[in-house]
Amino acid sequence: MPDKITPCLWYDLGQAKPAAEFYMSLGLPDSRIDSAFASPSDNPSSRQGDELVVEFTLAGRSYVGLNGGPQFPQSEAVSFMIHTDDQAETDRLWDAIVGAGGQESQCGWCKDRWGVNWQITPKRLMAFYADPNPARAKAAFEAMMTMKKIDIAALEAAADAAG
């Protein structure tokens, strides 16, 4: 893996590869499963020969999935933000994650079936934060605060109504 720092995601036993395979199905460019390694000996979470780690690349970034067991579940303290180009991409990714056993949350956040948190964030939303008109930025932000999946047209309408 070429990255100097690689995030390691902890999964329940046997779930690292299914999670990585699901992430590959999201259709993000430069994504692949790179390798998988078996445990060289028994350990507190698995037996020798059980799949221990899965190395994968998602949108050009390296990750390790560790089959560590149920002791440390994911939390909202770490999330992955995907910057989307338009509503179609926002809908496709949101629907893929939530529709495959995930959960909706607020403000563009959702959780996959393994508990990993995602922010499906249109680039247009981020542009509103930098809008030189503070009333437009505030209106778009306040509209976003009422949403689960981000609706770009509704953000635009709120900002336009504010001036």
Side-chain angles (χ1 to χ4, degrees):
M1 301 198 127
D3 293 341
K4 183 78 167 175
I5 297 175
T6 302
C8 179
L9 302 172
W10 184 292
Y11 295 93
D12 201 351
L13 299 176
Q15 295 302 301
K17 186 171 259 175
E21 291 169 344
F22 174 73
Y23 304 151
M24 299 309 108
S25 78
L26 295 176
L28 299 171
D30 193 15
S31 297
R32 65 191 170 277
I33 295 176
D34 298 305
S35 58
F37 299 100
S39 178
S41 67
D42 290 350
N43 63 72
S45 296
S46 62
R47 299 286 162 235
Q48 180 177 346
D50 289 348
E51 188 171 76
L52 184 61
V53 297
V54 176
E55 295 177 327
F56 60 96
T57 301
L58 185 60
R61 297 213 180 253
S62 300
Y63 295 87
V64 170
L66 172 67
N67 285 311
Q71 300 91 327
F72 301 111
Q74 301 291 329
S75 83
E76 287 78 1
V78 174
S79 64
F80 296 105
M81 182 182 283
I82 302 176
H83 299 277
T84 57
D85 291 323
D86 54 30
Q87 192 66 52
E89 185 179 23
T90 300
D91 292 347
R92 179 182 67 77
L93 290 166
W94 180 275
D95 294 346
I97 292 169
V98 172
Q103 297 175 317
E104 294 182 328
S105 191
Q106 292 298 120
C107 306
W109 289 57
C110 59
K111 184 180 297 196
D112 67 28
R113 69 177 170 248
W114 297 278
V116 176
N117 292 276
W118 298 84
Q119 296 179 59
I120 310 303
T121 307
K123 292 175 184 174
R124 186 66 185 116
L125 172 62
M126 300 305 286
F128 277 121
Y129 295 160
D131 194 303
N133 180 340
R136 288 176 51 81
K138 180 180 179 184
F141 182 81
E142 288 177 350
M144 180 268 307
M145 293 295 292
T146 69
M147 299 175 184
K148 290 186 178 195
K149 177 173 56 176
I150 302 300
D151 180 337
I152 298 169
L155 295 175
E156 295 283 355
D160 290 347

